[in-house]
Amino acid sequence: MVLTIKKVPTVVSNYQEENSEKGFEGCGRNCLGKCCLPVSKLPLYAFKEDNSNLIGNSVEKSSEEQPHICFLHNLLLGQWEDRMSRGLFRYDVTACDTKIIPGRYGFIAQLNKGRHLKKRPTEFRVDKVLQDFDETKFNFTKVGQEEVLFRFEKSIDHDRHFFPSAPPITADSNSSSVVAINVSPIEYGHVLLIPQVLNCLPQRIDHGSFLLALHMAKEAADPFFRVGYNSLGAFATINHLHFQAYYLAAPFPVEKAPTRRIMTMKSPQDEGVIVSQLLNYPVRGLVFEGGNTVQDLSDSVASSCIFLQNNNIPFNVLIADCGRRIFLFPQCYAEKQARGEASQELLDTQVNPAVWEISGHIVLKRQEDFDDASETYAWRLLAEVSLSNKRFHQVKAYVLEAAGFQTDIEENNRDLEREPIYEQPSPEAVAHLPQDCMVFY
């Protein structure tokens, strides 16, 4: 049986129009396709890939690191605000009301009616996490270059560089990755990271693309800048590989949730990747951290994601704390919707719990939902997303094995109660973050 739901996808580009399924005749639009991108001179941020650098417990403070700490503030936000002044967004997200819901967890609710406008209905298949790329559908090669902020690629000399007008992409290199605005933003600085845009990769994780996303979070060096990923079946709306990221000047509830360590993968240098399980949170999930290098951590999470998508299990990923902590959430809400098992009360809100909602930043589309939002409501909404306890433990065992954790899972589960519970500190504010991008009640 093929499960489908009538879905109203978020418009993420001004070129995602009613006739987006029709092919464009000619070009002349200065787009991101093979006709235009290879001869473009987009700005280029070349990041430093330093796999000898441990992912520690504090942001680097040395004077030579100061320029990259300002990277996203000075470059990404400056370019993002420039696009706002040019009228490229569909609404002013900075005017959206936002409040912290009273209660233990501090769920964050935003009233964003703009994301409910100018959308086109489509048939969205939710029973297949892996689907082939379809060039006749909207994809990011159809985005105009005015929506692109810069290319984001690994430096060839192991240092950071910014080129305001980079040389054109060579004919034998179609692997350029770009950062573009999301024209229907959720928050200040909302952007899309599109790996290897010309390769037209479908929405599926691979080791290289996940490492790129992790480097973006690391380069930001700001705990209030998070990177997220939604698989197909977990409310990704476009089948062209992309990550999302934005600023939010408050801790996400999931970042404050207690955890309990369940596994450590030892490396030759004995600095293992640590896997913990979320406790007392409405969505069951895993937390990855540690490792000798960025690549150690990235490979563990990417291998877990690859297992999930290969086994048709939808999931969401949150990269937090400058890349030091990664949350992985297998989920089932879209399948519940398709089977008619989701709560009608929650369906009426038209909230699709993707990575940001699961993490505790809930975007609401109706005034009454925003006015009446409570911790009980938020908990009930997110609990609908979670796998059952039995199913989660089954998936967890397979995920950890796929990521290279060879310990006896059953024995480890029996030891779970003896492990201490870790309470997470909230991120501290940084001076360069704009202070007026949220409105708290």
Side-chain angles (χ1 to χ4, degrees):
M1 178 177 65
V2 175
L3 298 179
T4 60
I5 57 175
K6 272 290 187 180
K7 196 157 190 308
V8 181
T10 300
V11 176
V12 298
S13 169
N14 289 315
Y15 293 89
Q16 187 179 353
E17 304 293 348
E18 293 290 335
N19 63 348
S20 64
E21 294 188 4
K22 301 177 183 178
F24 288 95
E25 296 181 2
C27 184
R29 298 186 307 108
N30 201 28
C31 67
L32 290 183
K34 294 182 179 179
C35 50
C36 299
L37 184 59
V39 295
S40 70
K41 292 187 177 181
L42 291 170
L44 168 64
Y45 183 89
F47 64 86
K48 176 183 179 182
E49 184 178 55
D50 184 3
N51 277 330
S52 65
N53 180 31
L54 296 180
I55 301 179
N57 293 320
S58 61
V59 176
E60 300 165 68
K61 298 289 187 179
S62 68
S63 60
E64 46 220 25
E65 296 299 317
Q66 185 62 31
H68 97 272
I69 289 178
C70 296
F71 153 55
L72 283 173
H73 177 60
N74 293 335
L75 176 60
L76 187 151
L77 294 183
Q79 292 291 310
W80 192 88
E81 291 181 349
D82 171 75
R83 302 314 190 271
M84 176 180 281
S85 69
R86 289 158 58 179
L88 296 184
F89 295 99
R90 299 199 166 215
Y91 50 83
D92 181 5
V93 71
T94 64
C96 294
D97 289 337
T98 299
K99 65 181 180 181
I100 295 180
I101 299 173
R104 173 185 175 186
Y105 288 88
F107 290 106
I108 303 160
Q110 181 194 93
L111 178 61
N112 193 329
K113 298 177 181 179
R115 286 178 71 82
H116 192 50
L117 303 175
K118 296 182 180 179
K119 298 178 179 180
R120 58 183 179 89
T122 186
E123 289 289 331
F124 186 78
R125 188 168 180 176
V126 298
D127 65 336
K128 285 189 66 176
V129 174
L130 297 181
Q131 301 180 36
D132 292 336
F133 182 86
D134 186 347
E135 63 180 10
T136 68
K137 306 295 185 182
F138 173 80
N139 63 78
F140 296 114
T141 66
K142 299 178 181 181
V143 169
Q145 290 184 25
E146 70 274 11
E147 296 182 13
V148 177
L149 305 186
F150 49 87
R151 288 160 51 190
F152 184 75
E153 300 167 16
K154 182 175 66 174
S155 172
I156 61 174
D157 64 357
H158 306 292
D159 206 352
R160 297 178 180 89
H161 301 283
F162 175 65
F163 303 94
S165 181
I169 302 169
T170 59
D172 60 348
S173 176
N174 289 337
S175 60
S176 184
S177 301
V178 301
V179 174
I181 61 170
N182 186 330
V183 301
S184 298
I186 288 177
E187 254 301 338
Y188 185 77
H190 193 169
V191 295
L192 306 171
L193 172 63
I194 310 166
Q196 304 177 48
V197 61
L198 289 181
N199 289 349
C200 296
L201 304 172
Q203 185 73 345
R204 64 181 66 177
I205 291 290
D206 61 73
H207 285 89
S209 64
F210 196 83
L211 181 60
L212 182 75
L214 195 54
H215 273 294
M216 185 176 186
K218 185 173 182 289
E219 288 291 312
D222 191 320
F224 292 127
F225 183 81
R226 289 90 166 184
V227 180
Y229 176 86
N230 302 314
S231 77
L232 297 181
F235 300 104
T237 57
I238 295 172
N239 188 22
H240 190 174
L241 181 58
H242 65 286
F243 297 81
Q244 301 185 49
Y246 62 72
Y247 278 102
L248 183 69
F252 278 0
V254 74
E255 294 172 336
K256 300 184 292 182
T259 61
R260 180 175 274 141
R261 182 180 303 185
I262 59 174
M263 196 76 68
T264 301
M265 181 172 67
K266 295 297 184 180
S267 68
Q269 292 76 26
D270 207 36
E271 291 286 345
V273 173
I274 299 168
V275 183
S276 302
Q277 182 173 327
L278 285 172
L279 301 177
N280 304 323
Y281 196 72
V283 184
R284 296 178 178 89
L286 299 173
V287 187
F288 294 74
E289 56 193 321
N292 271 312
T293 67
V294 176
Q295 180 120 29
D296 285 347
L297 182 58
S298 179
D299 285 347
S300 294
V301 181
S303 295
S304 300
C305 295
I306 290 169
F307 169 84
L308 291 174
Q309 64 196 19
N310 286 347
N311 286 273
N312 207 33
I313 302 172
F315 63 94
N316 308 90
V317 179
L318 178 73
I319 302 175
D321 196 15
C322 308
R324 286 187 285 269
R325 300 181 75 213
I326 303 173
F327 298 81
L328 176 61
F329 304 98
Q331 71 141 293
C332 60
Y333 188 64
E335 184 177 346
K336 281 186 177 180
Q337 284 182 283
R339 294 184 181 277
E341 298 172 357
S343 162
Q344 187 59 49
E345 175 191 2
L346 299 180
L347 288 174
D348 289 342
T349 68
Q350 300 186 53
V351 173
N352 294 325
V355 60
W356 308 120
E357 286 78 10
I358 290 173
S359 301
H361 185 206
I362 303 173
V363 180
L364 301 171
K365 301 169 184 177
R366 303 189 305 182
Q367 184 71 52
E368 58 267 32
D369 294 328
F370 181 78
D371 293 341
D372 298 337
S374 65
E375 185 167 273
T376 300
Y377 163 81
W379 188 282
R380 190 168 67 248
L381 170 66
L382 297 185
E384 286 270 327
V385 177
S386 186
L387 299 183
S388 68
N389 188 53
K390 179 179 179 181
R391 177 61 175 152
F392 176 75
H393 282 290
Q394 292 172 340
V395 170
K396 177 179 70 175
Y398 290 125
V399 162
L400 294 177
E401 182 178 354
F405 296 87
Q406 301 299 326
T407 301
D408 185 326
I409 303 296
E410 292 300 323
E411 180 179 347
N412 188 269
N413 284 336
R414 289 194 294 269
D415 292 339
L416 186 60
E417 294 300 324
R418 294 197 292 270
E419 284 290 329
I421 296 175
Y422 296 94
E423 299 286 347
Q424 299 299 328
S426 298
E428 296 182 2
V430 286
H432 69 263
L433 186 71
Q435 298 299 311
D436 57 353
C437 56
M438 294 187 68
V439 181
F440 292 142
Y441 287 173

